[in-house]
Amino acid sequence: MIAIAGGGPNGLMLACDLALAGVRPVVLEKLPERSKEPKANGMVGQVVRLLHRRGLLERLGSETPFRTPRFMFGMLQLDLSEVDDNPMTIQLVPQRRLEQVLEERALELGVQIRRGHEVVAFTQDESGVDVEIRGPQGEYRLSAEFLVGADGGHSPVRKLAGIDFPGVSTEKGVVRVANVTLPENLDVPAGVHIRTEHGVFFHIELVPGKPMVMTVEWDPADNTPMTLEEMRQSIHRVLGTQIAIGPPAGEGPHLLRRTSGGNTRIAEKYRDGRVFLIGDAAHVHSAMGGPGLNLGLQDAANLAWKLAAAVNGWAPDGLLDTYEIERRPPAERVVLHTQAQSALSGPGPEVTALRALFTELMTKPDVAAHIAETLAGSDIRYPTGTNHPLAGKFLPDEVPAPQLRDARPVLVDFARNPALKDIAAQWIDRVDVIEVESTNAHPDVVLVRPDGYVGWAGCGVLSGLREELATWFGSPRMVTIVS
């Protein structure tokens, strides 16, 4: 059994993938019910394609990933209409709805979700983790093979494990967000960040009937409760003009929030023995560009199949160590581009000049493509034993792999090579084989890991495939082949 501290999207995604792999997870969530506080408004990048492959995107109301022709970088317009193979897939969905869908799926798969239960202490040894939990009926203990902290930026699991959280904090920047009613004659375009020397203004209607406005200013704010009048005054300071915003219409919950400063931190390590960190417990950063769910949910998908391999007894030596090896670089990339975007959004004539230069550069398709790949996380390539262009990358949408819905490794056979069946038979209890007819240009064989990344790809010959199968999925079993 695996204990997961935290019942947000990352913890629930991890639980779903573990259950698909035949492992019993228990989710321990401190809150007695899902938070009603509005948080993220959608997902950006590779994770949209991952949820599509899991069959979860359709539950959120979409049949296929949507590739947006425009996005923002540093509050500058990024035109992707001329970018070949645009990687910027997006899915607009309130985080509360995403959590609901993941929770429903987890319960379908038999996951235990214990709300009102929090981890307060643990001890571990070579055989497992003894977790002390405080629940509605008092404290109790749970014996688990592994403990995963998916419990946010203030992660109790990380603190109890004594894992440092180095990085930087800043008091600069005050962000105010509110659902409001906007005047019908508003001449400020929606979806465009308006930057002045006094701050930034933005408005958009992500949910029909619930317009959202946002301002960013650089002067410190007080700690009194946020009000709609404060939002009006902030807009006036930023734009130099009044906008007659009114109270939001319809049922709540409604946004009315002020945040000051921010943290950029990455955990000193993602693993301490049998304890692991994912999502905000492992890294926090600015929300610019919307990278949080892309990063955290892919942490969960990466770790789940490796933990399942360990529990099921076929994990090769060192497999669990590859979690941090593979997932730390994406966190470092997110820190890089969110800090760069924050710098581009700041005050001062020198920043204005920098924005003008970036505006010129971003009109070039190759520059726009590079930035889009960075934002989407598609510039990440995991280490593999082959140099094929697909190896280590997320499987392209054009390569069909329907079995990924079950979170199992898949050998996709486009060439019907008879030698492949003999090789695959030695891992048939762990790896599925599917034959696919396709008119598109593909490698003859693609080995797809449960998290959607390509572990091996080859054309013509299968040299190296056995080694890669053993690297990721353990020793082959003895198979008697009858001719």
Side-chain angles (χ1 to χ4, degrees):
M1 189 271 291
I2 293 177
I4 302 169
N10 301 322
L12 291 170
M13 180 74 181
L14 177 67
C16 288
D17 273 15
L18 285 170
L20 286 169
V23 174
R24 293 188 306 113
V26 174
V27 177
L28 306 165
E29 169 54 53
K30 180 179 179 180
L31 296 177
E33 60 180 17
R34 282 194 304 274
S35 173
K36 295 182 179 180
E37 180 184 354
K39 296 180 181 178
N41 295 308
M43 297 175 290
V44 177
Q46 305 282 69
V47 69
V48 180
R49 298 158 65 195
L50 174 64
L51 293 190
H52 177 52
R53 292 266 162 85
R54 287 290 187 273
L56 294 170
L57 201 59
E58 60 193 56
R59 296 184 181 218
L60 294 169
S62 295
E63 295 183 1
T64 58
F66 171 69
R67 300 194 184 200
T68 179
R70 292 176 298 278
F71 204 70
M72 303 298 295
F73 181 79
M75 299 188 183
L76 294 169
Q77 188 84 0
L78 180 64
D79 184 357
L80 302 173
S81 60
E82 301 298 321
V83 173
D84 295 331
D85 195 22
N86 174 13
M88 286 300 293
T89 50
I90 65 171
Q91 174 66 36
L92 297 179
V93 56
Q95 182 168 318
R96 181 174 169 81
R97 171 60 180 157
L98 175 62
E99 289 182 11
Q100 178 186 356
V101 166
L102 288 171
E103 182 173 325
E104 289 171 353
R105 179 58 173 152
L107 293 173
E108 288 174 9
L109 294 169
V111 173
Q112 286 189 54
I113 301 176
R114 302 181 184 179
R115 291 197 170 274
H117 296 245
E118 61 176 317
V119 174
V120 295
F122 64 82
T123 58
Q124 62 170 315
D125 56 29
E126 293 182 356
S127 63
V129 187
D130 189 31
V131 187
E132 185 175 329
I133 302 160
R134 182 183 298 121
Q137 306 303 319
E139 293 191 357
Y140 64 98
R141 291 183 178 274
L142 188 69
S143 294
E145 291 169 271
F146 296 96
L147 169 64
V148 180
D151 46 353
H154 298 288
S155 171
V157 169
R158 186 188 65 239
K159 295 174 182 177
L160 289 168
I163 298 175
D164 288 340
F165 205 32
V168 295
S169 298
T170 178
E171 298 300 323
K172 295 180 180 178
V174 180
V175 179
R176 295 176 174 89
V177 185
N179 287 125
V180 300
T181 300
L182 290 171
E184 294 183 1
N185 61 347
L186 181 65
D187 59 358
V188 180
V192 177
H193 291 83
I194 308 298
R195 176 193 173 272
T196 71
E197 288 297 331
H198 305 287
V200 177
F201 174 76
F202 175 80
H203 77 93
I204 196 167
E205 190 169 321
L206 295 172
V207 179
K210 295 185 71 172
M212 181 189 76
V213 297
M214 178 194 77
T215 62
V216 181
E217 295 183 86
W218 295 285
D219 293 330
D222 57 36
N223 294 319
T224 59
M226 173 77 172
T227 65
L228 198 60
E229 179 58 28
E230 180 181 333
M231 188 80 246
R232 294 189 186 99
Q233 293 174 7
S234 179
I235 294 172
H236 183 234
R237 288 192 299 269
V238 170
L239 296 180
T241 186
Q242 299 279 2
I243 293 181
I245 61 172
E251 295 183 1
H254 299 298
L255 274 168
L256 187 61
R257 184 173 64 213
R258 177 205 313 119
T259 57
S260 299
N263 284 298
T264 299
R265 300 180 180 276
I266 300 179
E268 179 186 30
K269 54 185 178 180
Y270 286 17
R271 177 190 184 185
D272 179 57
R274 289 179 169 268
V275 178
F276 292 81
L277 305 175
I278 67 171
D280 288 356
H283 38 68
V284 294
H285 45 77
S286 166
M288 295 192 72
L293 289 172
N294 189 25
L295 194 56
L297 291 173
Q298 288 199 80
D299 285 350
N302 185 291
L303 181 60
W305 68 271
K306 297 172 183 178
L307 286 178
V311 172
N312 290 327
W314 54 258
D317 291 342
L319 180 65
L320 292 178
D321 291 330
T322 67
Y323 166 61
E324 180 169 353
I325 290 171
E326 293 180 341
R327 294 308 299 165
R328 179 174 287 273
E332 292 171 344
R333 292 293 288 172
V334 166
V335 166
L336 172 71
H337 78 68
T338 54
Q339 287 184 324
Q341 290 187 77
S342 295
L344 276 170
S345 306
E350 68 279 7
V351 175
T352 301
L354 186 62
R355 289 172 62 85
L357 177 60
F358 260 76
T359 299
E360 291 179 12
L361 292 173
M362 285 163 47
T363 61
K364 300 179 181 298
D366 57 338
V367 175
H370 181 85
I371 292 175
E373 288 177 356
T374 303
L375 293 172
S378 58
D379 59 339
I380 293 298
R381 181 173 185 174
Y382 295 155
T384 69
T386 177
N387 292 323
H388 191 281
L390 273 184
K393 302 287 285 185
F394 195 89
L395 185 70
D397 294 336
E398 294 74 18
V399 182
Q403 266 81 344
L404 286 179
R405 182 175 292 238
D406 299 325
R408 281 178 58 83
V410 178
L411 272 168
V412 187
D413 182 7
F414 293 101
R416 300 194 177 187
N417 188 328
L420 178 64
K421 291 184 178 180
D422 293 344
I423 296 173
Q426 300 172 72
W427 284 272
I428 200 64
D429 57 327
R430 284 157 268 169
V431 181
D432 294 334
V433 181
I434 58 173
E435 293 182 349
V436 175
E437 293 185 3
S438 176
T439 57
N440 295 331
H442 301 302
D444 290 348
V445 179
V446 178
L447 172 60
V448 189
R449 307 182 336 174
D451 55 4
Y453 282 79
V454 176
W456 183 92
C459 296
V461 297
L462 301 178
S463 174
L465 177 56
R466 280 189 176 89
E467 291 77 6
E468 286 300 304
L469 283 165
T471 295
W472 296 115
F473 309 114
S475 300
R477 67 175 187 171
M478 298 301 294
V479 177
T480 300
I481 299 174
V482 179
S483 59

